[in-house]
Amino acid sequence: MASISDPPAEGFRLSQLIYDTRYRSMTIQVVAFLLIMLGLVWLANNVVSNLQALGKDFDFGFLGNRAGYDINQRLIEYSNDSTHGRAAVVGILNTLLVAVLGCIAATILGVIAGVLRLSKNWIVSQLMSVYVEGFRNIPLLLWILVIFAVMTEGTPQPRDFRGENPEASMILGESVAITNRGIYIPNLVFNRSLGGNEVDAETGAVVASASTGDILLLLAVIIAGFVASGYIGRRAKAIQESTGVRPPGTFWMRLGAIFVPAIIVLFALGATLDYPELTGFNFSGGIHMRNSLIALWFALSLYTGAFIAEIVRAGILAVSKGQTEAAFALGMRPSWTMNLVILPQALRVIIPPLISQFLNLTKNSSLAIAVGYMDVRSTLGGITINQTGRELEGMLLLGVFYLITSLIISGAMNIYNNSVKLQER
C-alpha cells in the first residue's frame, strides 16, 4: 500500500533574497543601511582630509580654554575667566529657560484664545481672530524687534522712580519695577542655604542666597509631589471603577502631595524674598529680567500661541456636537462641559500637532541673537566659534544639543499622548 508523504522542503537559496517577498524587504533595508553607512564614512573621511589640508584637526579641547567674554543674562555663576565649556552651559540654560517659559505661556494663551474663538459673543470671537491672524501672518523676528523696542523706548528709566513725586512707581505692592533696562522682580533666597551663605566683607553680616543645591532640592521635591499626586489620582480612579465610589478627599490629598513637601522644604531652608530697591542710578536686589529676555519670551509665546489657538479650535470642533448636547441634557454648565467633556476628548486631536509647535518654539529661540540675548546660539554657536576657529566642532555640538532637546520634548509629549488616547478593548 503506497503512502502519500509531503514533498521535502526546499532549502534556502540566495535568489530568494531578491525574488521571495518574505526576504525582499529585509534585503532592501540592509542594502540601504550599508549605503548610508558608506556615505557617512566617506563624508567623515572627506572632512578629516580637508581639515588636514588646512592644517586643522578635529578636537574639542577648546572647551577647556578661557572664554574671555561676558554674558549679561545667566542662571549660574560665570565670569570672563570661565571656560568656553562653562559659557556653552550658560547658553544652554538660557535657551532652556526661554523655551520652558515660552511653552508654558504659549499653551495657556493658545488654549484660551482657541476656546474664545468659538465664543458666541461676536466681539470676543473677532478679537481672538484678530490676534490669531495678526501674529500668524507676521514674521516672528519682527515681533521680537517690536516688543524689544516697546520695552526699551516705552518704559520709564530707573531715575523716574526717584523723588518725592516720582514719574513712575513700582507695582504689585512695590515689589516689581518695569524699566527701560528690564523688569526687576523679587528673588527667592534662603537664610539656611545648603551651599552656605555669603558674608558681607564690610559688615560681617550673613547675606541670604540661593545655591544650585537649594534649587535642585526644591525642584526634586516639587517633581516628586507631582508624581505622588498622579499616583493618588490613578489609585482613586481604580477604586472608583471597581467599587463605583470615589475615595473622599482625593482632591485635597493630591493638592497636599504637591504643596506640603515644598512648603516644608522652604521653611527648613528659611526661604525669604529679596525685593528690588532703587540704589543710586539703578535697581539692586531681586531678579533682573533684561529686555532681551522679555522680548524673546513674549514674542515666542504670542506667536506660537496663535498657532496653538488654531490647533485647539480644530480639536474642539472635532468633538461631536452630541457630546455637548448630552452634557447640557444632564444639567451641566457650559464651563463644566468644556473642562470635563469637550477638552479631554479634544486632547487626543490636539497633542500631536502641539508637539510640533513646542519643537518650533524651542528652535525659534535661536533668533535671540537679534536682540542680544545670550543663548547657546550666541555663546557656543557664535562668540566661541569666532574666537577659537572651531566651526565644525561648535556647529556639531550645537546641532546635537537641539537634536537631543527636541527628542526629549517629543518623547515626553508622546508619553502623555499615549496616556490620554482611547484604549481599545
Side-chain angles (χ1 to χ4, degrees):
M1 179 177 178
S3 62
I4 301 175
S5 60
D6 295 332
E10 296 183 0
F12 176 79
R13 300 187 306 275
L14 289 177
S15 60
Q16 290 180 287
L17 295 176
I18 299 175
Y19 299 107
D20 194 325
T21 55
R22 293 176 297 172
Y23 305 103
R24 185 186 303 162
S25 60
M26 183 63 68
T27 303
I28 294 174
Q29 294 179 53
V30 171
V31 171
F33 175 76
L34 292 176
L35 290 176
I36 292 174
M37 294 305 298
L38 288 174
L40 292 176
V41 170
W42 174 85
L43 181 62
N45 183 65
N46 189 46
V47 169
V48 171
S49 300
N50 290 334
L51 287 175
Q52 290 177 349
L54 295 174
K56 293 184 178 182
D57 58 351
F58 189 75
D59 185 19
F60 293 97
F62 69 96
L63 294 174
N65 299 334
R66 179 178 179 273
Y69 61 90
D70 294 320
I71 300 178
N72 51 21
Q73 186 88 49
R74 53 187 180 270
L75 295 177
I76 60 176
E77 291 298 324
Y78 172 86
S79 67
N80 53 20
D81 290 326
S82 301
T83 63
H84 285 293
R86 183 78 171 183
V89 172
V90 173
I92 287 172
L93 292 177
N94 285 346
T95 299
L96 294 177
L97 172 65
V98 75
V100 171
L101 293 176
C103 287
I104 294 173
T107 302
I108 295 173
L109 286 172
V111 171
I112 294 175
V115 173
L116 292 182
R117 279 206 72 180
L118 299 172
S119 173
K120 295 181 180 180
N121 188 311
W122 185 85
I123 296 178
V124 172
S125 62
Q126 292 305 309
L127 285 176
M128 291 300 102
S129 298
V130 170
Y131 157 68
V132 169
E133 298 302 330
F135 276 90
R136 280 202 314 167
N137 295 296
I138 295 178
L140 173 59
L141 180 60
L142 293 183
W143 285 117
I144 295 175
L145 296 176
V146 167
I147 296 176
F148 182 77
V150 170
M151 290 295 302
T152 303
E153 304 295 336
T155 51
Q157 302 180 31
R159 66 183 181 184
D160 295 333
F161 292 81
R162 182 180 299 279
E164 296 181 359
N165 297 311
E167 299 180 14
S169 59
M170 301 175 68
I171 61 175
L172 299 179
E174 299 294 316
S175 62
V176 177
I178 302 176
T179 73
N180 63 346
R181 299 182 184 180
I183 298 178
Y184 297 84
I185 61 176
N187 183 25
L188 182 66
V189 295
F190 304 103
N191 292 314
R192 294 181 289 273
S193 173
L194 295 177
N197 295 110
E198 300 177 1
V199 178
D200 193 317
E202 298 181 357
T203 63
V206 177
V207 180
S209 61
S211 67
T212 304
D214 301 328
I215 303 300
L216 292 178
L217 174 61
L218 186 59
L219 288 176
V221 170
I222 293 174
I223 293 173
F226 276 102
V227 172
S229 175
Y231 171 77
I232 294 172
R234 290 192 298 271
R235 179 175 176 274
K237 183 178 179 181
I239 294 175
Q240 183 179 8
E241 290 179 350
S242 61
T243 64
V245 179
R246 189 172 182 83
T250 299
F251 173 78
W252 296 109
M253 291 175 63
R254 298 187 64 179
L255 207 62
I258 297 174
F259 289 101
V260 171
I263 293 173
I264 292 175
V265 170
L266 291 174
F267 179 78
L269 295 175
T272 58
L273 290 177
D274 178 28
Y275 293 93
E277 295 181 357
L278 183 62
T279 56
F281 297 99
N282 203 354
F283 283 89
S284 62
I287 297 177
H288 180 200
M289 301 177 65
R290 296 180 177 273
N291 286 337
S292 55
L293 170 60
I294 299 298
L296 184 65
W297 176 24
F298 283 11
L300 286 172
S301 302
L302 292 169
Y303 181 80
T304 309
F307 288 90
I308 293 177
E310 286 297 275
I311 294 172
V312 172
R313 185 172 72 95
I316 293 174
L317 292 176
V319 178
S320 171
K321 273 191 173 182
Q323 300 290 323
T324 304
E325 295 171 353
F328 288 165
L330 294 174
M332 297 182 67
R333 299 175 183 175
S335 59
W336 289 10
T337 301
M338 180 60 68
N339 294 330
L340 301 177
V341 178
I342 305 302
L343 282 180
Q345 297 183 70
L347 280 177
R348 303 183 183 103
V349 180
I350 293 172
I351 296 299
L354 188 63
I355 298 174
S356 299
Q357 294 305 318
F358 286 166
L359 297 179
N360 289 337
L361 187 149
T362 303
K363 291 178 287 188
N364 285 338
S365 65
S366 59
L367 293 173
I369 194 172
V371 288
Y373 180 70
M374 302 291 285
D375 68 335
V376 68
R377 170 62 182 86
S378 300
T379 56
L380 176 62
I383 301 176
T384 293
I385 286 179
N386 292 334
Q387 287 188 357
T388 62
R390 296 287 180 174
E391 305 90 353
L392 179 61
E393 293 91 334
M395 285 300 172
L396 181 61
L397 290 175
L398 193 63
V400 169
F401 162 71
Y402 280 113
L403 175 62
I404 293 175
T405 304
S406 299
L407 291 177
I408 292 174
I409 294 173
S410 179
M413 293 299 295
N414 281 326
I415 292 174
Y416 178 74
N417 184 41
N418 290 332
S419 68
V420 299
K421 71 178 183 180
L422 284 174
Q423 302 294 330
E424 297 183 1
R425 297 177 183 270

